[in-house]
Amino acid sequence: MNEALGGDAVPLEGVTTLVLTSRLIPGLDGGYTVATLQRARLLADAGAQVHLLSVDPGTPTDHAAHREAFVAAGAAASVDAFRNLFDDAAADPRWLFDAATPGASTPGVAYREIPDAAGRPLLALPVIAGDPDWHLTKAAVVVHAPDGDRILSGFGGLYLAWLAHVVAGLAQPIVLVCESRQLGELLATDPPHGVRIVHTIHTTHLSSPYGPDAPVNDLWRRWFAVADRFDAVLWPTAQQRADAEERFGAHPGATVLPNAAPSAVDDPSPADPHRVVLLGRLAPGKRIDHAIRAWSRVIAAVPGARLEIWGDGALRDDLQRLIDERGLAASVTLEGRSDAGPALFDGAALMVQTTAFEGQGLAALEAMSRGVPVVSYDVRYGPRDQLATGGGVLVPDGDERAFADAVVELLQNPGARERAARIALERAADFAPSRIRDDLAALVRRILATR
């Protein structure tokens, strides 16, 4: 799996791990949320004491509902593993009062008030609307302390004060797994004392057209400037690590450690020979319009073929208009968001994706774990790693005709589809949770053993 890490299970009893994310809300952020919760489960399975930390300023009631939904769906073992900055502050704000210094709000900045558990004003957060660098603001976060207003320096000051409070109450050694680029930038400058930091990667660092020579996303350039301050960086694919090192140099802690696929089923559901599934946000980067246009060619060859598009997003109305304009309403349907998880793919003949880019591509792995082969554009990053030895078909990026022809070939050739389905199960096993858990545990132990 990864040449740098051992394959034997390495127990993490006695190790505290903090999995830090900006937010965890059911139905939002797609594979990011799935991968973050899964990493926490794998660390717990390896024996670590795991805390899932988030910093979104929702209400305690909202956070409680989110946690219960994750537990009910099997994505988390217990609501007790979750902690949120604003829940902690509302329950007992003494750490806030201690961390802040006397001061006042920043002139000319709008503020959002956050109440304590009794509904009294507790915090005032600066509102930095329309700025992708909002997290870097130095505008004061105002703390309404009993003896008068106090301040912290921006969101960075607030987040770091909370992390110091969290860490002070936990047993060492502590490894913090940072899942968010914005949070990583803030942590890199002043990490919690004595804490080792692992930073994960969830998406491409490239801008359009997402090829090897494409511009680097400006937001990522700043992250690369501090990347060497992390004890380890987890790249989901070898290709992305290689591309990053080509431009920014090697990082001694850079490790290829993909997200796990769901456990492969032993007995896949019988396939409906005409059912094809696409799962993804209805957003520009997923290029679902490519699949819809290609479907005219598919149904010309396979009249009974049906394309189910699962997911929601801003382009829903535009995509429905395209379906109607092409006369495809009988064979292409926008199904909305699904809570079925990998079981969504049960009984499908194929899973397809026409995305412009991926971080790793968890949806494809979910399909493969159910014995469903994949037809995908060959894009950075993920599909090539998953389908290099079979389990589906890679077609040239953006080639709608080749995409349609690959779908038709597998739908019309049951033997080829069944062979691809068997290989899909084998490839999914390469990303099995037990393998990724063992590599992740070995990485944590290696970090703790390094000065």
Side-chain angles (χ1 to χ4, degrees):
M1 199 61 191
N2 186 311
E3 72 281 1
L5 302 178
D8 296 331
V10 181
L12 295 180
E13 285 83 2
V15 176
T16 301
T17 57
L18 309 178
V19 179
L20 175 65
T21 176
S22 51
R23 65 185 183 185
L24 283 172
I25 300 176
L28 286 183
D29 303 317
Y32 173 91
T33 299
V34 172
T36 297
L37 290 167
Q38 180 192 71
R39 198 162 358 254
R41 290 295 302 269
L42 294 181
L43 287 164
D45 289 347
Q49 181 67 39
V50 178
H51 301 265
L52 271 158
L53 309 182
S54 61
V55 298
D56 70 292
T59 68
T61 300
D62 288 341
H63 292 148
H66 299 159
R67 295 161 188 171
E68 290 167 2
F70 285 133
V71 171
S78 169
V79 297
D80 296 333
F82 295 83
R83 290 181 69 172
N84 174 270
L85 184 159
F86 296 95
D87 292 357
D88 277 10
D92 184 356
R94 286 176 294 179
W95 61 271
L96 260 180
F97 303 152
D98 292 342
T101 58
S105 60
T106 301
V109 174
Y111 277 85
R112 171 189 176 185
E113 292 286 346
I114 304 293
D116 65 10
R120 298 167 300 208
L122 175 60
L123 277 168
L125 303 180
V127 177
I128 314 297
D131 185 351
D133 295 333
W134 61 268
H135 57 293
L136 299 178
T137 183
K138 295 300 182 182
V141 170
V142 181
V143 179
H144 302 305
D147 59 350
D149 282 353
R150 294 171 171 266
I151 61 171
L152 293 163
S153 179
F155 292 101
L158 175 63
Y159 298 160
L160 290 168
W162 179 55
L163 285 174
H165 165 67
V166 170
V167 167
L170 299 173
Q172 297 277 353
I174 298 174
V175 174
L176 188 152
V177 181
C178 184
E179 305 279 356
S180 163
R181 175 187 53 77
Q182 292 96 330
L183 293 173
E185 289 177 26
L186 297 171
L187 286 175
T189 60
D190 189 16
H193 180 69
V195 174
R196 301 299 183 90
I197 301 180
V198 175
H199 201 294
T200 65
I201 306 297
H202 286 269
T203 190
T204 181
H205 59 283
L206 301 171
S207 296
S208 179
Y210 309 107
D213 300 321
V216 173
N217 186 303
D218 287 340
L219 300 177
W220 278 96
R221 286 188 181 279
R222 191 172 51 243
W223 180 89
F224 277 111
V226 298
D228 61 354
R229 301 186 186 186
F230 303 115
D231 295 280
V233 173
L234 302 189
W235 297 98
T237 68
Q239 184 65 67
Q240 189 174 12
R241 180 180 69 173
D243 285 355
E245 290 183 346
E246 178 70 21
R247 295 194 182 190
F248 296 97
H251 182 309
T255 300
V256 179
L257 209 167
N259 298 304
S263 297
V265 297
D266 295 325
D267 187 18
S269 300
D272 177 336
H274 293 115
R275 179 177 176 238
V276 179
V277 173
L278 188 158
L279 172 63
R281 289 177 293 108
L282 309 187
K286 297 301 181 181
R287 295 192 299 194
I288 294 171
D289 56 316
H290 286 224
I292 293 171
R293 288 194 296 268
W295 207 252
S296 297
R297 185 174 178 84
V298 172
I299 61 169
V302 186
R306 308 185 313 278
L307 176 62
E308 298 176 5
I309 300 172
W310 291 89
D312 212 344
L315 296 184
R316 182 181 183 88
D317 290 345
D318 292 341
L319 294 173
Q320 186 61 59
R321 277 194 293 273
L322 179 60
I323 291 168
D324 295 339
E325 290 168 1
R326 294 270 171 160
L328 297 172
S331 61
V332 180
T333 53
L334 300 178
E335 302 287 350
R337 189 168 70 88
S338 171
D339 295 320
L344 171 69
F345 296 103
D346 288 349
L350 297 175
M351 181 270 194
V352 297
Q353 57 183 22
T354 46
T355 179
F357 61 89
E358 288 290 338
Q360 180 185 340
L362 285 178
L365 284 176
E366 288 180 346
M368 295 167 75
S369 75
R370 313 300 284 197
V372 176
V374 175
V375 174
S376 174
Y377 281 165
D378 186 5
V379 296
R380 281 168 162 76
Y381 296 99
R384 189 179 304 172
D385 301 76
Q386 296 156 357
L387 301 175
T389 58
V393 180
L394 286 172
V395 299
D397 181 20
D399 191 334
E400 295 176 13
R401 183 185 184 96
F403 172 83
D405 289 347
V407 171
V408 169
E409 169 62 21
L410 288 177
L411 293 182
Q412 289 185 331
N413 188 336
R417 198 211 71 85
E418 290 169 7
R419 286 191 297 275
R422 287 195 297 272
I423 297 173
L425 282 173
E426 295 170 1
R427 290 293 291 135
D430 292 338
F431 298 85
S434 59
R435 292 191 178 194
I436 305 304
R437 176 203 65 206
D438 294 349
D439 282 355
L440 185 58
L443 172 71
V444 170
R445 281 297 188 195
R446 189 183 73 197
I447 289 172
L448 291 175
T450 304
R451 292 185 60 186

